[in-house]
Every structure is written in structure tokens, then in C-alpha cells.
Amino acid sequence: MLSYLAMHDSKALQRRIDGRSPDLFKAFPPRPQLQVNCLSALRRHEPNDTLVYRQDQTIENVEQIEALSNNIDNILQVFTIRQQRSWTTLDISQGLFQEFLEKYNVYHEFWNCAFAFGRKCGENEFEFPSFRMRQNPVTNSSSIFESSCVLRRAELNNRKLTEGQSSWSIRQTAVYHRRIPILPSAHDSDSILDARRYRSVFLLISPSKSFERHLKSCADVSATEEHAMSWQNILRLLVLDTIKGWQEYMAWMEGEIKEQVRRTFGALPDVFFDPLTDFQINFIDRQTLKQLEDKVTELGVILLTMQNTVLRLCEYVRRLSSEEYSTDLSIVNTIIEELEEHTKEADMNQRRGEALKIRVKSVTQLEKTTNDAAAVKVLTVISLVYLPVTVVTNFFSTQFVRTTDSGSLQVSTGAWILAAIAIPLTILTI
């Protein structure tokens, strides 16, 4: 980026990095810290160049990163950083991670995506950034484009569950993409420059196993299907991976809400409106309802952010693809159309999340109303006990107990009338 446009505070950022580093980075040999998949044009200076895809090359030092960053024959590089579990450190050292960002000139905003990972006790849904994009002009006609985002996904965790645990987990993948123009050299022919003027670099933090399987399938056919390993298709696979699980997750959550309502209030909704029904809502029921309410609130934040991210990713692919030459525009247009469908699905999921929020809010409001009704019931019983006495006393308006001139209390001989009328009246009222 042009230096005069940069507004970040590098010292403050480094302090934040150093503070988060112990909970964010840790290498675990012999597990690889950084792996790369490369699509290379072996004969780039000939019209019919050969594409070769190499998978899961392990990066162990800075020299390898520098060699890859300078290799313009690698028209596509997909770097991957993994983690053992979703709330543990990343399987990479701080030094190698920062060296990668420096060698590839990754913009500083990507750190906000990295900070969403690491050891933690709980999830703060407001710490996950939405889509960011930056354009950095190289020449009058070419620019480097960078983008980053965190894609959240809901998936079954396949854990052996204990009481109160959920079968679903919400996980995340950080995505960085950099599209770099290949500047012409004296050896390049016009046909080569027209056919492939850009190279792409991806950095993926903690991608799902499902995505990696789909990526491998695309790699297997990349020799015959050029667009199988295009940067557009990789973004399509990432969006598909983040969209697919939310409908099932919300259906499961709705089932949990209904089950909790059944356990707490009974199976028939008619009893909700019966004023004589005595509900016994214990502490565990209240806690469960509160947890469901918190989950639905967090879901609303996630879906709203995801809706914005998918929409802007679609616009990003459409904008960059319009500048590129493609031998088969129909494939690129198909990818863009599918991304547009995913934006509509993200919007629908967000609306369903709002409906789920209204539902759980009505349940918690019902629980609050039930508690209030129980308190009113107690007050009513107390009032019924004392009301006949009050009525009789007022009716006779007689001083049954009075103070004499000498200061002693004197009970009226007609005081038995109060008890004779009030006690039967109280029994009759109850």
C-alpha cells in the first residue's frame, strides 16, 4: 500500500501481537508449521504452457518462503496453517508467521483475522472481523488486490457428549487472498501475457477437512480443467463450506427450544393461558433457557457478519474477474452466479436467525410471566385471608379494644361478634 495512505499504529500493533503471542502461536514438531499447494506453469514462455499442481509441500524456513514469493511460475499458491483443536494455539511459531507476512507484504489488517484464533475460555462474537479489501496500484493499468475475512461455519463435532453439551460447534477459517499482476518481461510473448497476467496467493488458517477434501478433488482434475484450481473456484469452495451447515444447526437449535419448553411448561400450549396452572420452574430450567437465549443472540451476530462477508466476497470476485482474460467466460460466470446464490442463502439464514430470536425471546418472556404470576398468587392468597376480617371490622366500625382513663386496655363485651362472623366468612371465601 502507498505509505501515505497507511494509518495503522505499528508500535501498538506489535505490543498487541507480543501480548497475544503465547496463546496464539506454538510449533509442534514433527507436525508441519506451514504447507503450500502450488499450481505452476512449467513452460511459461511458450504458448502451450504445462500446468503442474504440487500438494502439501512443507515450509520449514524463511528461505523457502522467499523463494516461493519470487517464483512467478507459481500462478497459484495456497498456504495452510492448521491447529489441533479450535480453541488451541496455531501450529506455527510467531517468527515464521511474521516472516511470511513480511515476505508477501500482507497488509496489517490481516492480524485482526489471526487474533480470532488461539487459546481462549470463551468466544466473543464481536472480535471476528468482516471482509476487508485493499487495492495497491503497481502501474497505471495494474494493481495488487488484497482481501481478508474470517468465515464461520457450524459443524457436528462428533464428540462423546455429557449432560449439557452440544453436538454442534461453531468454528472458523481465516482467509487471505492476494492477486498480483505479472509484469511483462523481454521474453514474454503477447499471447502469454494475454492468457495469464496474474498470480494468486492464499493463506488459510484452520480450513475445514471438508474444504481440503474438495480442494484435493479439484487438484486432481486441474490438468484437464483449468478453472478447477482458479482463485475464483477456491473462494467458491470456501463460501460453500461456510454456508452449508447453518440450516441444520438452526433446525437443531429450534428443536432444543421446543424440548426445553416441553420440559418446563408441559406439552400442550393451552396450559400457558390457564391461570390456575402451577408451574414449577427450577434453577436448571432457568439456566438452560438463558443459555439458549445467549446462543441465539450470538447466532444473530454471526449470521449478520457472514451475510455481509459473503456479499462483499461476491462483489470482489465479480470486480477482479472483469479485469482478467479467460478462455471460458461461462465457467467464471457460473462461479459468480453460484456465489450470488450463496448471498441469497446467507440473507435467508439471517432472517431465520431473527425468527429464532423472536421465538426464544417469547419463551423467556413466558418464563418471566410465570414467575410473576406465582408471586401474584401468593399475594392473592394472603389478601384473601385478611380480607374478611377487614370487611367485618369496617362494617361494624366499632372499637372492640379501647384504652381507659387509667391507661389500661379494655375489651368490649361484643368482641365475640367479630370472630363469629369473620371466621366463617374466611372459610367460605377460601
Coordinates of all heavy atoms in Angstrom, one line a residue, residues 82-140:
R82 N -2.6 -24.9 10.3 CA -3.6 -25.7 11.0 C -3.5 -25.6 12.5 O -2.5 -25.0 13.0 CB -3.5 -27.2 10.6 CG -3.7 -27.5 9.1 CD -3.6 -28.9 8.8 NE -3.8 -29.2 7.3 CZ -2.9 -29.1 6.4 NH1 -1.7 -28.8 6.7 NH2 -3.2 -29.3 5.1
Q83 N -4.5 -26.1 13.2 CA -4.5 -26.1 14.6 C -5.1 -27.4 15.1 O -6.0 -28.0 14.4 CB -5.2 -24.9 15.3 CG -6.6 -24.8 14.9 CD -7.3 -23.5 15.5 OE1 -8.2 -23.1 15.0 NE2 -6.8 -23.1 16.6
Q84 N -4.6 -28.0 16.2 CA -5.1 -29.3 16.6 C -6.5 -29.3 17.0 O -7.3 -30.2 16.6 CB -4.2 -29.7 17.9 CG -4.4 -31.1 18.2 CD -3.6 -32.1 17.3 OE1 -3.2 -31.7 16.3 NE2 -3.5 -33.3 17.7
R85 N -7.0 -28.2 17.7 CA -8.4 -28.1 18.1 C -8.7 -26.6 17.9 O -7.9 -25.8 17.9 CB -8.6 -28.5 19.5 CG -8.6 -30.1 19.7 CD -8.8 -30.5 21.1 NE -7.8 -30.0 22.0 CZ -6.6 -30.6 22.2 NH1 -6.3 -31.7 21.6 NH2 -5.7 -30.0 23.0
S86 N -10.0 -26.3 17.9 CA -10.5 -25.0 17.5 C -10.1 -23.9 18.6 O -10.0 -22.7 18.2 CB -12.0 -25.0 17.3 OG -12.7 -25.4 18.5
W87 N -9.9 -24.3 19.8 CA -9.6 -23.3 20.9 C -8.1 -23.5 21.4 O -7.8 -23.2 22.5 CB -10.5 -23.4 22.0 CG -11.9 -22.7 21.7 CD1 -12.3 -22.3 20.5 CD2 -12.9 -22.3 22.7 NE1 -13.6 -21.7 20.6 CE2 -13.9 -21.7 21.9 CE3 -13.0 -22.4 24.0 CZ2 -15.1 -21.2 22.5 CZ3 -14.1 -21.9 24.6 CH2 -15.2 -21.3 23.9
T88 N -7.3 -24.0 20.5 CA -5.9 -24.1 20.9 C -5.0 -23.2 20.0 O -5.5 -22.5 19.1 CB -5.4 -25.6 20.7 OG1 -5.5 -25.9 19.3 CG2 -6.2 -26.5 21.5
T89 N -3.7 -23.2 20.3 CA -2.8 -22.3 19.5 C -2.7 -22.8 18.1 O -3.0 -24.0 17.8 CB -1.4 -22.3 20.2 OG1 -1.0 -23.7 20.3 CG2 -1.4 -21.7 21.6
L90 N -2.2 -21.9 17.2 CA -1.9 -22.3 15.8 C -0.6 -23.1 15.8 O 0.3 -22.8 16.6 CB -1.8 -21.1 15.0 CG -3.1 -20.2 14.9 CD1 -2.8 -19.0 14.0 CD2 -4.3 -20.9 14.4
D91 N -0.5 -24.1 14.9 CA 0.7 -24.9 14.8 C 1.8 -24.2 14.1 O 2.3 -24.8 13.1 CB 0.3 -26.3 14.2 CG -0.7 -27.1 15.0 OD1 -0.9 -26.7 16.1 OD2 -1.2 -28.1 14.5
I92 N 2.2 -23.1 14.5 CA 3.2 -22.3 13.8 C 3.9 -21.4 14.8 O 3.2 -20.9 15.7 CB 2.7 -21.5 12.6 CG1 3.8 -20.9 11.8 CG2 1.7 -20.5 13.0 CD1 3.4 -20.3 10.5
S93 N 5.2 -21.1 14.7 CA 5.8 -20.2 15.5 C 5.5 -18.7 15.1 O 5.2 -18.5 14.0 CB 7.3 -20.4 15.5 OG 7.9 -20.1 14.2
Q94 N 5.6 -17.8 16.1 CA 5.4 -16.4 15.8 C 6.4 -15.9 14.8 O 6.0 -15.2 13.8 CB 5.5 -15.6 17.1 CG 5.3 -14.1 16.8 CD 5.5 -13.3 18.1 OE1 5.8 -13.8 19.1 NE2 5.5 -11.9 17.9
G95 N 7.7 -16.4 14.9 CA 8.7 -15.9 13.9 C 8.4 -16.3 12.5 O 8.5 -15.4 11.6
L96 N 8.0 -17.5 12.2 CA 7.8 -18.0 10.9 C 6.5 -17.3 10.3 O 6.5 -16.9 9.1 CB 7.6 -19.5 10.8 CG 7.6 -20.1 9.4 CD1 8.9 -19.9 8.7 CD2 7.3 -21.6 9.5
F97 N 5.5 -17.1 11.2 CA 4.3 -16.4 10.7 C 4.6 -15.0 10.3 O 4.1 -14.6 9.2 CB 3.2 -16.5 11.9 CG 1.9 -15.9 11.5 CD1 1.0 -16.7 10.8 CD2 1.5 -14.6 11.8 CE1 -0.3 -16.2 10.4 CE2 0.3 -14.1 11.5 CZ -0.6 -14.9 10.8
Q98 N 5.3 -14.3 11.1 CA 5.6 -12.9 10.8 C 6.5 -12.8 9.6 O 6.4 -11.8 8.8 CB 6.2 -12.2 12.0 CG 5.2 -11.9 13.1 CD 5.7 -11.0 14.2 OE1 6.2 -11.4 15.2 NE2 5.5 -9.7 13.9
E99 N 7.4 -13.7 9.4 CA 8.3 -13.7 8.2 C 7.5 -13.9 7.0 O 7.7 -13.3 5.9 CB 9.4 -14.8 8.3 CG 10.5 -14.5 9.4 CD 11.4 -13.4 8.9 OE1 11.3 -13.0 7.7 OE2 12.2 -12.9 9.7
F100 N 6.5 -14.8 7.0 CA 5.6 -15.0 5.9 C 4.9 -13.7 5.5 O 4.8 -13.3 4.4 CB 4.6 -16.1 6.1 CG 3.6 -16.3 5.0 CD1 3.9 -17.1 4.0 CD2 2.4 -15.6 5.0 CE1 3.0 -17.3 2.9 CE2 1.5 -15.7 4.0 CZ 1.8 -16.6 2.9
L101 N 4.3 -13.0 6.5 CA 3.5 -11.8 6.3 C 4.5 -10.7 5.7 O 4.1 -10.0 4.8 CB 2.9 -11.3 7.6 CG 1.9 -12.2 8.3 CD1 1.2 -11.4 9.4 CD2 0.9 -12.8 7.3
E102 N 5.7 -10.7 6.1 CA 6.7 -9.7 5.6 C 7.1 -10.0 4.2 O 7.1 -9.1 3.4 CB 7.9 -9.7 6.5 CG 8.9 -8.6 6.1 CD 10.1 -8.6 7.0 OE1 10.0 -9.1 8.2 OE2 11.2 -8.1 6.6
K103 N 7.4 -11.3 3.9 CA 7.9 -11.6 2.6 C 6.8 -11.4 1.5 O 7.1 -11.1 0.3 CB 8.3 -13.1 2.5 CG 9.6 -13.3 3.4 CD 10.8 -12.5 3.0 CE 12.0 -12.8 3.9 NZ 13.1 -11.9 3.5
Y104 N 5.5 -11.6 1.9 CA 4.4 -11.5 0.9 C 3.7 -10.1 1.1 O 2.7 -9.9 0.4 CB 3.4 -12.6 1.1 CG 3.8 -13.9 0.4 CD1 4.6 -14.8 1.0 CD2 3.4 -14.1 -1.0 CE1 5.0 -16.0 0.3 CE2 3.8 -15.2 -1.7 CZ 4.6 -16.2 -1.0 OH 5.0 -17.3 -1.7
N105 N 4.3 -9.2 1.9 CA 3.7 -7.9 2.1 C 2.2 -7.9 2.4 O 1.4 -7.1 1.8 CB 4.0 -7.0 0.8 CG 5.4 -6.8 0.5 OD1 6.2 -6.5 1.4 ND2 5.8 -7.0 -0.7
V106 N 1.9 -8.8 3.3 CA 0.5 -8.9 3.7 C 0.1 -7.7 4.5 O 0.8 -7.2 5.4 CB 0.2 -10.2 4.6 CG1 -1.2 -10.3 5.0 CG2 0.6 -11.4 3.7
Y107 N -1.1 -7.1 4.2 CA -1.4 -5.9 4.9 C -1.8 -6.1 6.4 O -2.1 -7.2 6.8 CB -2.6 -5.1 4.2 CG -3.9 -5.8 4.1 CD1 -4.1 -7.1 4.6 CD2 -4.9 -5.2 3.4 CE1 -5.4 -7.7 4.5 CE2 -6.2 -5.8 3.3 CZ -6.4 -7.1 3.8 OH -7.6 -7.7 3.7
H108 N -1.6 -5.1 7.2 CA -1.7 -5.3 8.6 C -3.1 -5.7 9.1 O -3.3 -6.2 10.2 CB -1.3 -4.0 9.3 CG 0.2 -3.7 9.2 ND1 0.7 -3.1 8.0 CD2 1.2 -3.9 10.0 CE1 2.0 -2.9 8.2 NE2 2.3 -3.4 9.3
E109 N -4.1 -5.4 8.3 CA -5.5 -5.7 8.7 C -5.7 -7.2 8.9 O -6.6 -7.7 9.6 CB -6.5 -5.2 7.7 CG -6.8 -3.7 7.8 CD -5.7 -2.9 7.1 OE1 -4.7 -3.5 6.6 OE2 -5.8 -1.6 7.1
F110 N -4.8 -8.0 8.3 CA -5.0 -9.5 8.4 C -4.7 -9.9 9.9 O -5.2 -11.0 10.3 CB -4.0 -10.2 7.5 CG -4.2 -11.7 7.5 CD1 -5.4 -12.3 7.1 CD2 -3.2 -12.5 8.0 CE1 -5.6 -13.7 7.1 CE2 -3.4 -13.9 8.0 CZ -4.5 -14.5 7.6
W111 N -4.0 -9.1 10.6 CA -3.8 -9.5 12.0 C -5.1 -9.6 12.8 O -5.2 -10.4 13.7 CB -2.9 -8.5 12.7 CG -1.4 -8.8 12.5 CD1 -0.6 -8.1 11.6 CD2 -0.6 -9.9 13.1 NE1 0.7 -8.7 11.7 CE2 0.7 -9.8 12.6 CE3 -0.9 -10.9 14.0 CZ2 1.7 -10.6 12.9 CZ3 0.1 -11.7 14.4 CH2 1.4 -11.6 13.9
N112 N -6.1 -8.8 12.4 CA -7.4 -8.9 13.1 C -8.0 -10.3 12.9 O -8.8 -10.8 13.8 CB -8.3 -7.8 12.6 CG -7.9 -6.4 13.0 OD1 -7.3 -6.3 14.1 ND2 -8.1 -5.5 12.1
C113 N -7.8 -10.9 11.7 CA -8.3 -12.2 11.5 C -7.5 -13.3 12.3 O -8.1 -14.2 12.9 CB -8.1 -12.6 10.0 SG -9.1 -11.5 8.9
A114 N -6.2 -13.1 12.4 CA -5.3 -14.0 13.2 C -5.7 -14.0 14.7 O -5.7 -15.0 15.3 CB -3.9 -13.7 13.0
F115 N -6.0 -12.8 15.2 CA -6.3 -12.7 16.6 C -7.6 -13.4 17.0 O -7.9 -13.6 18.2 CB -6.4 -11.2 17.0 CG -5.1 -10.5 17.0 CD1 -5.1 -9.1 16.6 CD2 -4.0 -11.1 17.4 CE1 -3.9 -8.4 16.6 CE2 -2.8 -10.4 17.4 CZ -2.7 -9.1 17.0
A116 N -8.4 -13.8 16.0 CA -9.6 -14.5 16.3 C -9.3 -16.0 16.7 O -10.3 -16.7 17.1 CB -10.6 -14.5 15.1
F117 N -8.1 -16.4 16.6 CA -7.7 -17.8 16.9 C -6.9 -17.8 18.3 O -6.7 -16.8 18.9 CB -6.9 -18.4 15.8 CG -7.6 -18.5 14.5 CD1 -7.8 -17.5 13.6 CD2 -8.2 -19.8 14.2 CE1 -8.5 -17.6 12.5 CE2 -8.9 -19.9 13.0 CZ -9.0 -18.9 12.2
G118 N -6.5 -19.0 18.6 CA -5.6 -19.1 19.8 C -6.4 -19.7 21.0 O -7.6 -19.9 21.0
R119 N -5.7 -19.8 22.1 CA -6.3 -20.3 23.4 C -7.3 -19.3 23.9 O -7.0 -18.1 24.0 CB -5.2 -20.7 24.4 CG -4.6 -22.0 24.2 CD -3.8 -22.4 25.4 NE -2.7 -21.5 25.6 CZ -1.4 -21.8 25.4 NH1 -1.1 -23.0 24.9 NH2 -0.4 -21.0 25.6
K120 N -8.4 -19.8 24.4 CA -9.5 -18.9 24.9 C -10.4 -19.7 25.8 O -10.5 -20.9 25.7 CB -10.2 -18.1 23.8 CG -10.9 -19.1 22.8 CD -11.5 -18.3 21.7 CE -10.5 -17.9 20.7 NZ -11.1 -17.2 19.5
C121 N -11.1 -18.9 26.7 CA -12.0 -19.6 27.6 C -13.4 -19.4 27.1 O -14.3 -20.2 27.5 CB -11.9 -19.0 29.0 SG -10.3 -19.2 29.8
G122 N -13.7 -18.5 26.2 CA -15.0 -18.2 25.7 C -14.9 -17.4 24.4 O -13.9 -16.8 24.1
E123 N -16.0 -17.5 23.6 CA -16.0 -16.8 22.3 C -16.6 -15.4 22.5 O -17.7 -15.3 23.1 CB -16.7 -17.6 21.3 CG -16.3 -17.4 19.9 CD -15.1 -18.3 19.5 OE1 -14.0 -17.8 19.8 OE2 -15.3 -19.4 19.0
N124 N -16.0 -14.4 21.9 CA -16.6 -13.1 21.8 C -16.9 -12.8 20.3 O -16.0 -12.6 19.5 CB -15.6 -12.0 22.3 CG -16.2 -10.6 22.2 OD1 -17.3 -10.4 21.8 ND2 -15.4 -9.6 22.7
E125 N -18.2 -12.9 20.0 CA -18.6 -12.8 18.6 C -18.3 -11.5 18.0 O -18.3 -11.4 16.7 CB -20.1 -13.1 18.5 CG -20.5 -14.4 19.1 CD -19.8 -15.6 18.5 OE1 -19.3 -15.5 17.4 OE2 -19.7 -16.6 19.2
F126 N -18.0 -10.4 18.8 CA -17.7 -9.1 18.2 C -16.2 -9.0 17.8 O -15.8 -8.0 17.2 CB -18.0 -8.0 19.2 CG -19.5 -7.9 19.4 CD1 -20.1 -8.6 20.5 CD2 -20.3 -7.2 18.6 CE1 -21.5 -8.6 20.7 CE2 -21.7 -7.1 18.8 CZ -22.3 -7.8 19.8
E127 N -15.4 -10.0 18.1 CA -13.9 -9.9 17.7 C -13.6 -10.4 16.3 O -12.5 -10.3 15.9 CB -13.1 -10.7 18.8 CG -13.2 -12.2 18.7 CD -12.4 -12.9 19.7 OE1 -11.6 -12.2 20.4 OE2 -12.6 -14.1 19.9
F128 N -14.7 -11.0 15.7 CA -14.4 -11.5 14.3 C -14.7 -10.4 13.3 O -15.8 -9.9 13.2 CB -15.4 -12.7 14.1 CG -15.0 -13.9 15.0 CD1 -15.7 -14.1 16.2 CD2 -14.1 -14.8 14.6 CE1 -15.4 -15.2 17.0 CE2 -13.8 -15.9 15.4 CZ -14.4 -16.1 16.6
P129 N -13.6 -10.1 12.5 CA -13.8 -9.0 11.5 C -14.6 -9.5 10.3 O -14.6 -10.7 10.0 CB -12.3 -8.7 11.1 CG -11.6 -10.0 11.3 CD -12.3 -10.7 12.5
S130 N -15.1 -8.5 9.6 CA -15.8 -8.8 8.4 C -14.8 -8.7 7.2 O -13.6 -8.5 7.4 CB -17.0 -7.8 8.2 OG -16.5 -6.5 8.2
F131 N -15.4 -8.7 6.0 CA -14.5 -8.7 4.8 C -13.8 -7.4 4.7 O -14.4 -6.3 4.9 CB -15.4 -9.0 3.6 CG -14.6 -9.0 2.3 CD1 -13.9 -10.1 1.8 CD2 -14.6 -7.8 1.5 CE1 -13.3 -10.1 0.7 CE2 -13.9 -7.8 0.3 CZ -13.2 -9.0 -0.1
R132 N -12.5 -7.4 4.3 CA -11.7 -6.2 4.0 C -11.0 -6.4 2.7 O -10.5 -7.5 2.4 CB -10.6 -6.0 5.1 CG -11.2 -5.5 6.4 CD -11.8 -4.1 6.3 NE -10.9 -3.1 5.8 CZ -10.1 -2.4 6.6 NH1 -10.1 -2.6 7.9 NH2 -9.3 -1.5 6.1
M133 N -10.9 -5.4 1.9 CA -10.2 -5.4 0.6 C -9.4 -4.1 0.5 O -9.8 -3.1 0.9 CB -11.3 -5.5 -0.5 CG -10.7 -5.8 -1.9 SD -10.3 -4.2 -2.8 CE -11.9 -3.6 -3.2
R134 N -8.2 -4.3 -0.2 CA -7.4 -3.1 -0.4 C -6.8 -3.3 -1.8 O -6.4 -4.3 -2.2 CB -6.3 -3.1 0.6 CG -5.3 -1.9 0.4 CD -4.3 -1.7 1.5 NE -5.0 -1.3 2.7 CZ -4.5 -1.2 3.9 NH1 -3.2 -1.6 4.1 NH2 -5.2 -0.7 4.9
Q135 N -6.7 -2.1 -2.5 CA -6.1 -2.0 -3.8 C -4.8 -1.2 -3.7 O -4.8 -0.1 -3.2 CB -7.1 -1.4 -4.8 CG -6.5 -1.3 -6.2 CD -7.5 -0.6 -7.2 OE1 -8.6 -0.2 -6.8 NE2 -7.1 -0.4 -8.4
N136 N -3.7 -1.8 -4.3 CA -2.5 -1.1 -4.2 C -1.9 -1.0 -5.7 O -1.5 -1.9 -6.3 CB -1.5 -1.8 -3.4 CG -0.2 -1.1 -3.1 OD1 -0.1 0.1 -3.4 ND2 0.8 -1.7 -2.6
P137 N -2.0 0.2 -6.3 CA -1.6 0.4 -7.7 C -0.1 0.0 -7.9 O 0.7 0.4 -7.1 CB -1.9 1.8 -8.0 CG -2.9 2.3 -7.0 CD -2.6 1.5 -5.8
V138 N 0.2 -0.7 -8.9 CA 1.6 -1.0 -9.3 C 2.0 -0.2 -10.5 O 3.0 0.4 -10.6 CB 1.7 -2.6 -9.6 CG1 3.1 -2.9 -10.0 CG2 1.3 -3.4 -8.4
T139 N 1.1 -0.2 -11.5 CA 1.3 0.6 -12.7 C 0.0 1.3 -13.0 O -1.0 1.2 -12.2 CB 1.7 -0.2 -14.0 OG1 0.6 -1.1 -14.3 CG2 2.9 -1.1 -13.7
N140 N -0.1 2.1 -14.0 CA -1.3 2.8 -14.4 C -2.5 1.8 -14.7 O -3.6 2.2 -14.5 CB -1.1 3.7 -15.6 CG -0.2 4.9 -15.2 OD1 -0.2 5.3 -14.0 ND2 0.5 5.5 -16.1

